[in-house]
Amino acid sequence: MKQPILLLLFALVIAACQQDKKQASANQYNIIPQPVSLTAKTGQFKITGDTKILLASADEGLKTAAAHLASLLIKATGTTVAPVEGSAQKDAILFSLDPSIANDEGYTLSVTPYEVTVKSKTGAGAFYAIQTLRQLMPVEAEAGKTASLSIPCVEITDAPRYGYRGMHLDVGRHFFGVDDVKKYIDLLALHKFNRFHWHLTEDQGWRLEIKKYPKLQTVAACRNETLIGHYNDTPQKYDGKKYCGYYTQEEAREIVRYAAERFVTVIPEIEMPGHGLAAIAAYPELGCTGQPAEVGTKWGIYDNVFCPNEVTFKFLEDVMTEVMDIFPSKYIHIGGDECPKTAWENSGFCQGLIKKNSLKDEHGLQSYFIQRMEKFLNSKGRSIIGWDEILEGGLAPNATVMSWRGTEGGIAAAKQRHDVIMTPTDFCYLDYYQSQDPAEPLAIGGYLPLDKVYGYEPTPAELTPEEAGHILGVQANVWTEYMADFAKVEYMAYPRACALAEVAWSAKEARNYDNFTGRLAHHLKRLQALAVNVATNLYDVKATISAGDGKGILVGLSPKMEGIEIRYTTDGSEPTTASALYEKSILMEKSGTLKAVPFQNGKPVGRGAEAPFKLHKAAGKTISLTNFPAEKYSGAGPGSVINGVAGPTERYGGSEWLGFEGKDFIAIIDLGAETDLNTLTMRFFNGPGQWVYPPKELEVATSSDGSQFQSLGKMASIAAGESKLVEVQFPLTQVKTRYLKVFAARYGLIPEGAQGAGNEAWLFVDEIVVE
C-alpha cells in the first residue's frame, strides 16, 4: 500500500508545481516603467492579517516608504499593518538599506512564498520598490477591501536611467484644486516620476498667494471671462463668466509635504519676463508703460511684459523670497519663454539700459534680466531652470535649460556644459491631440500619439559622453488652455505619461513598444480602478498611408496586438467579423472609403479608422520635394500630399498635412506618362493664432522631361478669410504633360499686432488634387 500512496503524493506535488508555473506564466508582471531585470518565479506571497512590515533600521526614508505601503494595504485589505523595526521572518515584508547599491533610487525586490525583501540605498529606492509591488498586486486591490491579496514571486533589480523624471502642470490657464493636484502627484509617484513642475503664474492668472502683494490674490488671480472654442475660431467667443482661483501658502505647503512623502520634489515656476500680464494688471508699474491692464482672457502671447527696472526687480525678489520659504526645492523655474520685445523696443528706459550696459539688443536685455534674477536666487542657495529662450543673448552662468522648442536648445546648452532637461514639443507636449479621430476632444493642435512618445530618445546622439552627462532627464508638459477640468487633464496625460515614464526610467535598448502595450493593456485597468479618466485609444485602429514612390497607395493598419484582429472594407460598409482580415498592406486601386475596426473575441474594441480615398491623376504617383517639412509635421512623408486622402479641416496635425517653417513648398510630381489635365486644386491651413498662414503666391509649371519647366502662370493674393481651410483651384486648360512643378511661396514674416509678430509664418499643405 505504501507505494501507491507515495505515487499519489508525488503526483499531487507535481500537479501543484505545474499549477504554480501556470500562475507564474499567466501573470505578465505588468510593471510600468519596466524594471532593469526581472526573473519570474513560481508561487505567490499571500498578504494576510498576520503579515508584518519590518524595518531593519530606523532610517527616516525607510519609515516614510513603509508608511506608504501600510496605507496601500489598509485600503486594499482593510487591515492596519503598522511598520515596526525587526529582522527577517516568515510572513513579513522587510525593508533594509544596502549601501552597495550604486544608484540612490535603485532597489532590489525579492518575493518568495514566505517573505518579501526590499533592499535599497535610500528611502526613495524603497518607495519605488513599493510602486513595483503595488503593480504586482491584483487590480481589484486599488478599489479596496479585497478578500485575499497575493503577489507573484519574482526577483527584481532596478534603477532609473535618468535622475530627473518630471511631469508639469499648468494651473494658470485653468485652476485645479488641492485634491486634484494631490491626485496628480499620486499618479506621478505610481509611475516613478520624481519631479512635479508646478506652473503657477500666467497672463491669464496668478495662482499663488504672496502676502506682501495682496492684489495678486484680489486682482491677478481673476479674469473677467474665458475664451471658449479654439483660439483660431472666427469670431472668437467668450463665456462672460469671471474665473478666479489661487492657492494659499498653507495649501501650497501641504502639497509640498504631500509630494515629499511620495519622494516627489515640487519645482515652482514664476514666469518672467514674459507671461506676466496678470501681475501687471494688479500692479501696472511692473510694465513699461505703467498703464492699467487687464488679466488675459484669451490664450496666446501678450506684448505687455515685465519692465527690467528696479520696481520690477524689487517685486520679483520679494515674490521669490516668499516662494523659497514655501518650496525647499533646489531649483526654482523662472520661465523665460515667449517674451515679445515690442514693449522694450518702444521704451526709452529699456533702450537706455541696453546702451548703459553695452547690450547687443533686446535679447541681450532678456539675458540681463535672467542673470540678475539668477544672482539673487544663487545668493539664497537656489538654482534656476528656464525655458530654452534663456540661451538667447547669453546664458546665465549656472542656469539649467529646459529644452522645449526641439532638441537644438538642449544640445547647445549641453555643449556649453550646462545641465539640460529635455522636453521637446514633438514628443513631450501632452496638450497635443493623441488621436486623429474627428471625435477627439478639442486640443491646441499638433499630433502626438502614444507610440511617438514611447519612441523618444532624450539624449541626443550628437553629444559626446561628457556632454551627454549634462542631460539630467526628461519631462512631459501639460498646458491647460483646452483643459477646463481635471478629468480632461487626466485624459490628455494618460496613458501618454505612462510611455514617458518608461522613457525616463528604462534603458533605451530594453524598450519595446509591443511589449509595452501588452503591459499597458493591463495597467489601464489599474488606472481605471483608481478613477483616472484615461484615454482608451490603445486599441484604436491607426491607418498609415504610403504614397509618393510611384508604386500606388498602400495602407497599413495597426495596432498588431495579441488577441486583436482588424477587419476592414473598402466600399464604405461597416466591417464585421466576416469582413476581410487585415494581414498585410492594402493596395488601394480605386476610389472608395476604407473602414477598419478592431475586434477582440468577436466583439469591437476601440475606435475604428475611416479614410475616404479619391484617386485623382496624381494619387500614388512619384513626388519629390526641394524643401523638407519640419520633422514634427512631416506627416507620412512627401507622398502625404498625393495619397488620395484629404486632411482634417479643423486641425493641421496628423499624417495628411505637411508643415514648413520658413520654407517654401516646392514639389515635382511625375505622372509616369504624358497626361491630359484640367485642374489642380490645393488645400492650405489658415491659423494665424498659431502662426500658420496660407502662401502669398502659387505657381504651377509643366515639363516633358522633368528638367526644363514652363510656367503656366502665378496666382497671387490668396485670400484666407475666416475659414481654417483655404482651397485654391488652379486651371490647367488643355494641358498635357508628364511632370508638374508646384511652387507655393511662404507668407513670410508675421505682421505686427499678430501672434508671433516678427517670426516666420508656418505653411501647411494638404492634398494636391490633379484632374
Side-chain angles (χ1 to χ4, degrees):
M1 291 293 292
K2 288 183 179 180
Q3 189 173 4
I5 293 174
L6 289 173
L7 289 172
L8 176 63
L9 290 172
F10 181 72
L12 289 172
V13 170
I14 292 295
C17 290
Q18 288 176 339
Q19 181 63 28
D20 277 347
K21 287 181 180 179
K22 287 180 181 178
Q23 290 176 347
S25 61
N27 188 295
Q28 298 299 305
Y29 299 92
N30 299 294
I31 302 165
I32 295 176
Q34 182 175 344
V36 172
S37 171
L38 183 153
T39 303
K41 300 290 184 178
T42 58
Q44 295 182 334
F45 176 81
K46 292 184 170 67
I47 296 176
T48 68
D50 296 326
T51 301
K52 301 178 181 63
I53 300 176
L54 301 176
L55 307 176
S57 72
D59 179 78
E60 290 300 320
L62 286 186
K63 288 182 180 179
T64 299
H68 184 75
L69 175 61
S71 68
L72 292 176
L73 295 182
I74 290 171
K75 179 182 177 182
T77 66
T79 302
T80 300
V81 186
V84 296
E85 290 189 42
S87 56
Q89 58 182 273
K90 187 178 179 180
D91 198 21
I93 303 172
L94 175 66
F95 292 88
S96 64
L97 295 180
D98 183 351
S100 69
I101 294 175
N103 191 302
D104 285 348
E105 296 177 297
Y107 66 91
T108 63
L109 170 64
S110 174
V111 180
T112 75
Y114 312 106
E115 63 183 0
V116 175
T117 304
V118 174
K119 294 182 179 180
S120 62
K121 189 172 185 177
T122 66
F127 182 82
Y128 297 133
I130 290 168
Q131 301 315 308
T132 298
L133 270 176
R134 180 180 186 177
Q135 292 187 38
L136 290 173
M137 295 178 188
V139 167
E140 293 74 23
E142 303 294 354
K145 307 296 188 295
T146 52
S148 62
L149 190 58
S150 298
I151 302 170
C153 294
V154 70
E155 296 287 337
I156 292 175
T157 299
D158 202 9
R161 180 184 179 190
Y162 292 105
Y164 186 108
R165 305 178 302 283
M167 285 286 290
H168 154 286
L169 181 63
D170 163 24
V171 297
R173 276 54 176 260
H174 282 103
F175 177 79
F176 307 100
V178 171
D179 288 344
D180 289 336
V181 176
K182 285 183 175 180
K183 186 178 181 183
Y184 196 79
I185 292 169
D186 283 337
L187 292 172
L188 267 60
L190 174 64
H191 296 91
K192 301 184 175 79
F193 287 105
N194 63 358
R195 299 291 190 276
F196 171 42
H197 175 176
W198 202 5
H199 187 83
L200 287 163
T201 70
E202 258 304 337
D203 294 311
Q204 296 83 10
W206 184 286
R207 305 299 179 205
L208 180 65
E209 177 189 22
I210 301 297
K211 295 184 182 295
K212 192 168 184 177
Y213 296 95
K215 288 184 180 180
L216 293 176
Q217 291 74 258
T218 59
V219 177
C222 295
R223 57 177 179 260
N224 291 329
E225 58 185 357
T226 302
L227 180 74
I228 55 177
H230 200 279
Y231 184 95
N232 284 333
D233 291 348
T234 306
Q236 291 178 332
K237 297 179 182 179
Y238 297 83
D239 62 6
K241 300 175 183 178
K242 196 167 187 176
Y243 188 95
C244 301
Y246 70 91
Y247 305 96
T248 67
Q249 292 196 4
E250 284 310 305
E251 287 173 330
R253 286 191 175 91
E254 167 63 13
I255 287 170
V256 169
R257 180 199 62 77
Y258 188 86
E261 289 175 352
R262 288 149 182 80
F263 294 87
V264 173
T265 299
V266 182
I267 298 176
E269 180 180 1
I270 306 297
E271 275 272 23
M272 63 184 80
H275 291 288
L277 181 60
I280 295 170
Y283 297 97
E285 62 270 23
L286 301 176
C288 283
T289 67
Q291 296 299 309
E294 290 188 353
V295 178
T297 58
K298 63 181 178 181
W299 322 130
I301 302 169
Y302 290 83
D303 287 339
N304 201 350
V305 302
F306 286 129
C307 202
N309 57 32
E310 292 307 313
V311 172
T312 296
F313 287 122
K314 176 67 166 60
F315 167 81
L316 290 173
E317 288 176 3
D318 290 342
V319 166
M320 286 300 185
T321 297
E322 293 193 32
V323 167
M324 288 185 286
D325 187 56
I326 300 168
F327 298 93
S329 165
K330 169 188 173 182
Y331 291 113
I332 305 291
H333 202 302
I334 50 80
D337 65 315
E338 297 179 330
C339 178
K341 306 301 188 288
T342 305
W344 293 354
E345 291 168 352
N346 296 327
S347 165
F349 170 78
C350 291
Q351 294 305 307
L353 194 60
I354 290 172
K355 185 176 181 180
K356 177 183 176 182
N357 289 278
S358 301
L359 304 175
K360 183 178 180 181
D361 53 18
E362 288 75 22
H363 293 291
L365 184 56
Q366 175 159 332
S367 180
Y368 165 86
F369 193 116
I370 297 299
Q371 290 189 38
R372 176 151 176 181
M373 289 308 301
E374 183 192 43
K375 288 178 182 176
F376 173 76
L377 290 166
N378 286 170
S379 73
K380 306 298 181 181
R382 306 298 182 95
S383 299
I384 69 166
I385 300 176
W387 302 107
D388 58 45
E389 284 94 332
I390 67 173
L391 285 162
E392 298 168 1
L395 189 54
N398 304 306
T400 295
V401 173
M402 195 162 269
S403 185
W404 74 279
R405 294 179 298 176
T407 60
E408 295 81 6
I411 293 169
K415 286 183 176 295
Q416 296 178 39
R417 304 302 191 268
H418 281 267
D419 288 341
V420 177
I421 298 153
M422 301 301 290
T423 179
T425 58
D426 302 19
F427 300 95
C428 300
Y429 269 47
L430 305 188
D431 55 335
Y432 283 14
Y433 284 103
Q434 56 192 311
S435 167
Q436 297 190 75
D437 192 300
E440 192 71 10
L442 181 67
I444 193 169
Y447 176 51
L448 181 54
L450 180 71
D451 59 339
K452 188 171 182 180
V453 177
Y454 190 81
Y456 179 48
E457 169 47 41
T459 300
E462 298 92 326
L463 300 180
T464 67
E466 180 186 358
E467 293 165 348
H470 288 283
I471 305 298
L472 301 182
V474 63
Q475 174 176 293
N477 296 328
V478 180
W479 301 101
T480 62
E481 290 95 332
Y482 301 95
M483 303 179 205
D485 55 53
F486 192 67
K488 182 71 175 292
V489 169
E490 292 179 329
Y491 179 85
M492 297 301 286
Y494 290 90
R496 289 184 292 183
C498 304
L500 196 84
E502 195 146 304
V503 170
W505 183 278
S506 305
K508 176 184 177 181
E509 56 274 11
R511 299 204 314 262
N512 177 280
Y513 185 68
D514 290 339
N515 179 279
F516 168 72
T517 54
R519 287 178 282 121
L520 182 62
H522 179 85
H523 188 71
L524 288 178
K525 297 176 184 177
R526 185 174 302 278
L527 293 178
Q528 289 168 330
L530 290 167
V532 179
N533 183 37
V534 294
T536 55
N537 52 22
L538 177 62
Y539 300 113
D540 290 0
V541 176
K542 179 181 177 183
T544 302
I545 306 169
S546 302
D549 60 1
K551 298 178 182 179
I553 299 169
L554 290 172
V555 183
L557 301 175
S558 59
K560 294 180 179 179
M561 297 176 64
E562 186 177 348
I564 303 295
E565 61 179 28
I566 299 174
R567 300 281 177 171
Y568 72 93
T569 63
T570 57
D571 60 3
S573 61
E574 292 300 321
T576 67
T577 53
S579 300
L581 174 65
Y582 175 74
E583 295 177 306
K584 63 179 181 178
S585 295
I586 305 161
L587 177 64
M588 296 299 296
E589 298 180 291
K590 61 181 181 179
S591 296
T593 298
L594 182 145
K595 290 187 176 182
V597 172
F599 288 89
Q600 186 177 50
N601 299 323
K603 295 181 180 180
V605 55
R607 292 180 289 196
E610 181 175 333
F613 286 86
K614 179 180 180 180
L615 269 59
H616 52 84
K617 292 185 178 182
K621 304 302 183 183
T622 303
I623 188 171
S624 61
L625 300 181
T626 300
N627 299 318
F628 286 97
E631 183 180 357
K632 61 182 174 181
Y633 295 120
S634 56
S640 296
V641 295
I642 57 166
N643 65 10
V645 178
T649 59
E650 292 299 310
R651 46 189 166 113
Y652 53 79
S655 58
E656 297 304 321
W657 289 92
L658 299 184
F660 299 82
E661 183 180 20
K663 296 178 181 178
D664 301 320
F665 174 79
I666 307 171
I668 296 176
I669 302 171
D670 180 0
L671 301 174
E674 293 284 322
T675 307
D676 291 317
L677 307 177
N678 293 311
T679 59
L680 180 148
T681 303
M682 290 190 70
R683 290 158 40 107
F684 304 98
F685 200 85
N686 178 42
Q690 293 172 289
W691 305 12
V692 180
Y693 288 74
K696 64 180 180 182
E697 184 177 85
L698 178 64
E699 181 179 8
V700 177
T702 62
S703 171
S704 60
D705 59 7
S707 178
Q708 299 296 318
F709 284 87
Q710 181 178 352
S711 176
L712 298 179
K714 298 179 180 180
M715 183 177 290
S717 303
I718 296 172
E722 297 182 351
S723 174
K724 294 178 183 177
L725 184 69
V726 178
E727 189 169 280
V728 180
Q729 190 173 86
F730 197 103
L732 302 174
T733 307
Q734 295 181 339
V735 171
K736 186 172 185 177
T737 188
R738 173 173 174 174
Y739 296 92
L740 277 172
K741 185 174 185 179
V742 180
F743 175 81
R746 66 186 186 277
Y747 182 88
L749 296 180
I750 299 173
E752 286 296 325
Q755 287 289 319
N759 290 285
E760 280 278 358
W762 281 82
L763 172 65
F764 276 83
V765 182
D766 187 21
E767 190 76 2
I768 303 173
V769 178
V770 180
E771 296 176 300

